[in-house]
Amino acid sequence: MFSPPTLGGAGPATTTIEQVALSVGLRPRWRSRTGVVSLSECELIDDAGAPAPGAHGLGKGHNQAEARLYALSEALERFVTGPASLDGAAVRFIPAEELADGVLAEEASAPLLRQLTGSEIACYPYQALHAGRDGATFPLYLGAPWYAGHDGHVYRDRVGDRADYQGLSRYSVQSGYGLAPTQDEAAVHALLETVERDACSLLTIRALMSGRPPTVIDPRTLPEELALLHSQAQREVSATIYLVDATTDLGIPTVLAYCTPSDGPAYRRGQAAALATRDAVSGAITELLQSQMPRTAPPPVALTPLKPYPALHRCARFDLTDALRGAHTTAFLDQPSPESPRAQLRAVLARLAAAGFTAYQRHLAVLPDDVSAVHTLVPGLERFFAIVNGALVVPGPRGRTY
């Protein structure tokens, strides 16, 4: 997740990020659209005009300059945290069973690791973000689908990795990344993305497995600016946008903006976690609008492999129509956020610690102008939301007991 640089306006900031991209030999190619919010799509290409691996980003903003800033920076983030980040010198090989009974004991993929007795798994060292906690070593597969997937053998061969990732790759998600002008900002946005995925995973389990109705924010209680954004967004998509409160025991506001499939062949969604409730609401709505960019929607997900597992198939379809009929309604209640990135990071870490979780970070790159890219992991938070991409995954211990 990208944190926009505060460099005195979106125009200069975009120029600065573009210079950072140029410094690694890439330049942007744009597509844009204007509606309730300005939307932009960026693809980074090399000098020969070929797309850089994974370097694609979407952005939204109050104007095209701001939208381009987000899109360009997301594309840059995905490039520097993708295959370009592979650091063979930093890789450590840890026995699969040691990981399963240690740092990954609360992860859904732990049982698969235990089946790989005798195998060694490629890992990176991470530092603990909580003061007084030791660092830990985590597998690359957790955050690198490009490494664990079928085509990842090229990268695995490069570091001498001989483990079988056929099952583990299902639990590999491109999540918990951040790029920003400072490490603190990058860590905040990376952690909030991790919290968002955990919250939406738990919402999926509660609503579509356990049959517990979700809670929806009453749009009539939104502050004026958010109410206007919500009503304009509904007109643009010609559908009701439900604002589902997905906030968990972590106490970090998380909102899912959702349109049921009744108005089309598939549901539409946007989701966001933020320390301020108003930011979570606006982020979710604008992400839903962002999904309306032509040609940016992913191809239909093949759910056929999940049909033998009705509960998992239901979760993968993510049709909340029936669940929303029995939804509870709550009033919008804002929760303020600290202003400085350092204070925001402390607030996120405090809420994680209060719920018994420790956050870890790996610093991936420092680019020109001190732009930083990081990856964060919070062992035990749910990653089950990968089910909506057709992955045959099951909830971890947190999802089974929440």
Side-chain angles (χ1 to χ4, degrees):
M1 183 181 291
F2 164 66
S3 172
T6 51
L7 301 177
T14 306
T15 301
T16 299
I17 294 294
E18 189 164 347
Q19 290 170 345
V20 173
L22 289 171
S23 74
V24 294
L26 301 173
R27 56 188 174 85
R29 183 160 59 193
W30 304 100
R31 291 179 58 249
S32 299
R33 172 187 166 188
T34 300
V36 174
V37 294
S38 293
L39 302 173
S40 187
E41 180 181 8
C42 177
E43 183 176 43
L44 292 176
I45 57 177
D46 62 21
D47 290 338
H56 176 268
L58 299 176
K60 68 269 189 186
H62 294 94
N63 51 54
Q64 275 300 326
E66 189 175 48
R68 282 192 168 200
L69 169 60
Y70 275 98
L72 172 58
S73 300
E74 183 174 90
L76 181 61
E77 175 196 299
R78 290 182 175 177
F79 173 73
V80 300
T81 62
S85 69
L86 183 62
D87 182 1
V91 170
R92 302 176 184 176
F93 287 92
I94 306 294
E97 60 271 26
E98 182 179 325
L99 292 168
D101 296 328
V103 293
L104 299 188
E106 296 300 309
E107 289 287 324
S109 58
L112 294 176
L113 284 168
R114 294 190 184 97
Q115 295 174 14
L116 297 177
T117 300
S119 295
E120 292 195 325
I121 306 297
C123 300
Y124 281 138
Y126 284 67
Q127 67 182 83
L129 284 170
H130 292 85
R133 303 286 180 88
D134 293 333
T137 305
F138 294 101
L140 273 69
Y141 79 80
L142 284 178
W146 52 267
Y147 181 87
H150 176 72
D151 296 332
H153 63 87
V154 174
Y155 308 108
R156 299 195 294 272
D157 289 346
R158 191 179 300 175
V159 299
D161 188 347
R162 300 293 178 256
D164 180 4
Y165 286 90
Q166 185 173 355
L168 294 174
S169 64
R170 300 197 303 265
Y171 292 89
S172 183
V173 294
Q174 187 80 17
S175 180
Y177 289 94
L179 181 143
T182 68
Q183 277 197 62
D184 285 345
E185 284 184 77
V188 167
H189 286 266
L191 288 171
L192 288 175
E193 183 174 70
T194 302
V195 167
E196 169 206 303
R197 304 293 168 81
D198 170 75
C200 289
S201 296
L202 296 178
L203 170 67
T204 304
I205 295 165
R206 290 196 309 269
L208 298 174
M209 274 190 170
S210 303
R212 286 180 281 171
T215 298
V216 175
I217 298 172
D218 185 347
R220 295 171 298 182
T221 65
L222 294 172
E224 184 176 353
E225 183 178 352
L226 286 181
L228 178 61
L229 173 63
H230 180 255
S231 62
Q232 289 177 331
Q234 289 193 131
R235 284 196 294 272
E236 181 161 311
V237 300
S238 300
T240 299
I241 298 177
Y242 296 91
L243 301 176
V244 182
D245 185 355
T247 307
T248 69
D249 56 332
L250 301 180
I252 297 175
T254 307
V255 174
L256 169 75
Y258 182 87
C259 299
T260 67
S262 60
D263 298 294
Y267 67 86
R268 286 166 285 181
R269 77 171 195 269
Q271 55 204 45
L275 287 168
T277 312
R278 64 177 57 239
D279 292 338
V281 171
S282 63
I285 294 173
T286 54
E287 185 175 282
L288 185 149
L289 292 173
Q290 183 176 279
S291 70
Q292 306 304 299
M293 277 283 286
R295 298 203 306 270
T296 61
V301 175
L303 302 182
T304 304
L306 295 174
K307 284 195 173 180
Y309 313 97
L312 296 180
H313 186 260
R314 188 165 56 249
C315 290
R317 290 182 62 238
F318 203 58
D319 184 351
L320 298 177
T321 304
D322 291 340
L324 287 168
R325 291 193 183 103
H328 304 299
T329 302
T330 188
F332 172 86
L333 180 62
D334 203 10
Q335 184 169 297
S337 169
E339 290 190 9
S340 75
R342 176 60 56 87
Q344 291 172 6
L345 180 58
R346 283 198 292 261
V348 172
L349 293 176
R351 294 181 201 183
L352 288 170
F357 295 99
T358 300
Y360 298 86
Q361 173 182 281
R362 181 167 185 266
H363 200 191
L364 298 179
V366 179
L367 301 170
D369 291 306
D370 294 324
V371 172
S372 292
V374 304
H375 183 227
T376 59
L377 286 168
V378 184
L381 289 189
E382 268 296 340
R383 305 155 72 82
F384 179 66
F385 202 60
I387 192 78
V388 302
N389 295 320
L392 179 54
V393 295
V394 296
R398 174 166 164 81
R400 294 196 299 267
T401 59
Y402 185 79

